[in-house]
Amino acid sequence: GRKLDELDDSAIHSQLSFLPAQPLVFDGTVSENISLCGKDSEAEKSRMLQQFGMHTDLHQKADQGSLGELQRICVIRTLLERRPLIVADESTAHLDRENQKSVENMLLSSESALVYIAHNYNREMMNRFDRVLELKNGRIVYDGKPQMYRFS
């Protein structure tokens, strides 16, 4: 392997998609926000919207949706980027339980490796991951299988 500081930023960014807790949408349509690179077909974008239970017109302004809809738009964008690594920071924070499970399923079934940052979690969600790291005050206090994790 190589140290991160030996890589240029563009090499890192080409391998990583970041999914923030606060949805980031741009001035434009849902379609434009889903596929910033413009390489996905309208049919593929519509299919992804339907998979997330959204019956949104691709040509409506993206910023007109609810917070949960904006978050799902960001998740769809991330999945369509098809990068090897997704870092998701509280990516289901603004979703109801049904949509949380849907987003988790989509993220976990993608071919990308997933780093999922969660401040609020439960045993059911945690058991879906291969490994759990718990940080306290900047130090790793647990590193292991989710089944062995003890909730405090």
Side-chain angles (χ1 to χ4, degrees):
R2 292 172 53 191
K3 293 182 179 181
L4 275 178
D5 60 0
E6 294 174 358
L7 300 172
D8 71 52
D9 289 346
S10 63
I12 295 169
H13 292 288
S14 70
Q15 301 297 306
L16 170 84
S17 289
F18 179 67
L19 187 56
Q22 290 298 318
L24 177 62
V25 294
F26 305 95
D27 187 31
T29 66
V30 170
S31 178
E32 291 165 342
N33 269 274
I34 288 175
S35 186
L36 294 176
C37 301
K39 61 184 175 186
D40 299 293
S41 69
E42 295 289 304
E44 175 70 2
K45 291 183 247 185
S46 292
R47 184 187 67 75
M48 291 291 283
L49 284 170
Q50 288 175 2
Q51 277 189 292
F52 279 93
M54 296 176 66
H55 305 287
T56 306
D57 178 359
L58 282 171
H59 302 291
Q60 102 178 25
K61 292 294 245 177
D63 60 0
Q64 294 175 350
S66 69
L67 196 54
E69 288 171 329
L70 298 180
Q71 189 67 37
R72 286 180 282 171
I73 287 170
C74 293
V75 170
I76 292 168
R77 177 193 313 139
T78 298
L79 291 170
L80 288 174
E81 287 175 338
R82 295 176 183 89
R83 292 190 178 147
L85 176 63
I86 296 172
V87 176
D89 181 9
E90 289 288 327
S91 59
T92 61
H94 304 292
L95 303 176
D96 60 40
R97 187 64 196 133
E98 181 181 331
N99 282 308
Q100 283 178 344
K101 281 189 169 189
S102 174
V103 166
E104 288 167 9
N105 288 339
M106 294 294 285
L107 289 170
L108 288 166
S109 66
S110 80
E111 294 187 17
S112 302
L114 176 64
V115 174
Y116 192 90
I117 300 166
H119 302 275
N120 297 306
Y121 46 85
N122 59 54
R123 175 73 58 197
E124 178 188 351
M125 180 185 88
M126 189 180 285
N127 283 336
R128 301 178 76 196
F129 295 93
D130 298 320
R131 181 176 171 196
V132 172
L133 292 170
E134 181 182 3
L135 302 175
K136 280 192 180 172
N137 301 319
R139 299 179 57 89
I140 296 174
V141 296
Y142 179 81
D143 179 0
K145 300 250 182 238
Q147 297 80 3
M148 305 302 290
Y149 181 80
R150 295 185 188 209
F151 286 88
S152 44

